[in-house]
Amino acid sequence: MPAVTIETINTIPLRIPLDTWAPPPMFAGKPRTHVEMFLVRVKTSNGVVGWGECYGSSLPLLNAVFDAWVKHLAIGQDPTDKTLTARLERLLHGMGRAGSTLHAISGLDIALWDIRGKLEGVSVSKLLGGAKRKRVETYASLLQYNGVLEHVKRNTERALEQGYRHIKLHEKTAEAVAASRAVAGPDIPIMVDTNCAWLPGEANGPVAAMGASKPFWVEEPIWPPEDFESLAALRKATGVPLAMGENATGVLDFRKMVAAGATDFVQPSIVKIGGLTNLWQVATEAEKAGVTCVPHAFFFGPGYLATLHAIACKERDAPLERLFADVAFTAYSKTVPNVNGAVEVPEDRPGLGADPEDELISRFRI
Ligand SMILES: [Mg+2]
């Protein structure tokens, strides 16, 4: 029997209103008027509480995964056992190697890192070997404005006014990228997320056209996202830097995309890929192979903080993604604030460095 065990696991789904300063983009067939957030609260037998976060858009499915499998398998286990979530992944592989099963495990994994730090009285950065940088720049990840240039220009300007020095668009046209570039000037990195816009063979023209605006990267240009052979061919043909990985179905996918020469940047999503344990493995392996890890982080709970620690500690510096819209409640605005497009790494506080605010939970719990 371990000295400390996992005693309870509570799941807390939240729905937080969002103002995107433009008509809400469609997501999964519905207008995106809210951000969905799924918190995991894990308490140990000696009273330590850790917080994790799962991919919010899987919210309708996650309680089923926790109630049927994850709680049953994790309660009573040792929270300091670093192999626990890998064992869960293997045990539950028949229920899905990706998707909601792995999203649930991701939230548990992040909470366990928070607990391990709190048990030892050190930050997650210390557990990862120490922060290599004390401050991480953030990038403004604009919502999708469906090619409406007026929204692209106005919100590029708004991000620059707020102090951001990196912009990401969610657009599919060269005109939209050029409009943002005209506002930002030549020196601001502009990333373009196309969310798997084209089939193989359709992407060369539009991606090459975006190349004229010197994008820092074009993200997920091809459907399906695991067609690394077509992505490698596109990268070679256009010479435009590519980024991908938020829809990877596991650590092995990253090895395949790097080996294929498909990408310049890998983007594991901590709330989808199995938590900090797997994200750290991806970052370490990719950067050893010469490919920079710039994690996906279109969320702002414990998963965002865990991603911040990973970026602070990994070999190569990278900007941290920040959803750019007015959210009805900004988590950690006092404890880990984003100021002028940068955050200080909470490396001197135990665990993730901050817990989600009571107000966030009481106002937006569903
Ligand atoms: Mg993306």
Side-chain angles (χ1 to χ4, degrees), residues 277-325:
T277 304
N278 286 353
L279 180 134
W280 187 249
Q281 189 183 342
V282 169
T284 308
E285 287 183 9
E287 296 196 346
K288 209 169 271 175
V291 177
T292 303
C293 178
V294 188
H296 172 255
F298 206 63
F299 40 83
F300 45 85
Y304 169 87
L305 290 186
T307 303
L308 170 64
H309 284 286
I311 291 177
C313 297
K314 69 191 188 66
E315 206 51 46
R316 298 182 174 193
D317 198 3
L320 170 63
E321 182 167 21
R322 184 102 193 160
L323 189 159
F324 189 65

Side-chain angles (χ1 to χ4, degrees), residues 190-244:
I190 297 176
M191 295 80 97
V192 190
D193 192 345
T194 65
N195 294 115
C196 308
W198 299 287
L199 295 172
E202 297 173 351
N204 284 40
V207 171
M210 287 177 177
S213 298
K214 303 252 181 304
F216 194 70
W217 71 58
V218 170
E219 182 169 331
E220 291 200 312
I222 284 179
W223 174 262
E226 66 274 21
D227 184 353
F228 304 129
E229 202 180 310
S230 297
L231 286 154
L234 173 71
R235 178 170 172 251
K236 201 165 170 221
T238 61
V240 173
L242 301 185
M244 61 198 66

Side-chain angles (χ1 to χ4, degrees), residues 4-329:
V4 179
T5 56
I6 297 172
E7 197 174 78
T8 57
I9 300 175
N10 296 110
T11 54
I12 305 172
L14 308 174
R15 208 160 170 265
I16 311 163
L18 186 68
D19 178 0
T20 62
W21 312 301
M26 296 298 284
F27 183 77
K30 293 178 186 168
R32 195 170 206 155
T33 56
H34 290 71
V35 180
E36 286 163 327
M37 184 189 265
F38 194 95
L39 296 173
V40 182
R41 182 182 182 275
V42 178
K43 188 162 152 280
T44 65
S45 53
N46 64 342
V48 172
V49 171
W51 290 91
E53 179 179 13
C54 310
Y55 180 52
S57 299
S58 288
L59 185 147
L61 305 168
L62 289 167
N63 270 329
V65 178
F66 273 96
D67 291 344
W69 304 308
V70 173
K71 287 183 186 175
H72 163 71
L73 290 166
I75 289 171
Q77 300 292 310
D78 177 358
T80 67
D81 175 3
K82 288 183 181 163
T83 65
L84 174 58
T85 47
R87 281 208 314 280
L88 259 61
E89 242 190 271
R90 191 166 178 186
L91 273 165
L92 298 176
H93 75 269
M95 272 66 84
R97 293 284 295 120
S100 47
T101 306
L102 194 56
H103 302 167
I105 293 171
S106 304
L108 173 68
D109 185 83
I110 295 165
L112 294 180
W113 279 89
D114 191 25
I115 285 173
R116 287 173 204 139
K118 286 169 173 170
L119 283 170
E120 289 186 36
V122 300
S123 66
V124 167
S125 282
K126 291 258 163 41
L127 297 178
L128 292 173
K132 291 190 167 58
R133 42 202 74 86
K134 304 199 178 301
R135 180 176 174 274
V136 169
E137 291 202 14
T138 49
Y139 73 78
S141 197
L142 278 56
L143 277 286
Q144 191 186 117
Y145 311 122
N146 294 308
V148 179
L149 302 185
E150 177 202 326
H151 300 318
V152 172
K153 285 193 267 190
R154 196 183 58 248
N155 290 318
T156 297
E157 204 172 340
R158 192 192 300 259
L160 296 172
E161 278 165 13
Q162 291 188 16
Y164 286 101
R165 286 293 167 269
H166 314 255
I167 307 280
K168 187 162 96 181
L169 308 175
H170 285 82
E171 300 296 333
K172 298 178 173 65
T173 66
E175 291 74 19
V177 187
S180 182
R181 173 60 73 207
V183 172
D187 300 328
I188 297 287
I190 297 176
M191 295 80 97
V192 190
D193 192 345
T194 65
N195 294 115
C196 308
W198 299 287
L199 295 172
E202 297 173 351
N204 284 40
V207 171
M210 287 177 177
S213 298
K214 303 252 181 304
F216 194 70
W217 71 58
V218 170
E219 182 169 331
E220 291 200 312
I222 284 179
W223 174 262
E226 66 274 21
D227 184 353
F228 304 129
E229 202 180 310
S230 297
L231 286 154
L234 173 71
R235 178 170 172 251
K236 201 165 170 221
T238 61
V240 173
L242 301 185
M244 61 198 66
E246 70 178 86
N247 290 303
T249 54
V251 170
L252 196 55
D253 253 7
F254 288 91
R255 274 183 221 151
K256 290 179 186 166
M257 75 179 75
V258 169
T263 198
D264 298 86
F265 301 94
V266 293
Q267 301 175 295
S269 186
I270 205 163
V271 297
K272 296 174 90 174
I273 197 71
L276 180 54
T277 304
N278 286 353
L279 180 134
W280 187 249
Q281 189 183 342
V282 169
T284 308
E285 287 183 9
E287 296 196 346
K288 209 169 271 175
V291 177
T292 303
C293 178
V294 188
H296 172 255
F298 206 63
F299 40 83
F300 45 85
Y304 169 87
L305 290 186
T307 303
L308 170 64
H309 284 286
I311 291 177
C313 297
K314 69 191 188 66
E315 206 51 46
R316 298 182 174 193
D317 198 3
L320 170 63
E321 182 167 21
R322 184 102 193 160
L323 189 159
F324 189 65
D326 269 340
V327 184
F329 189 94

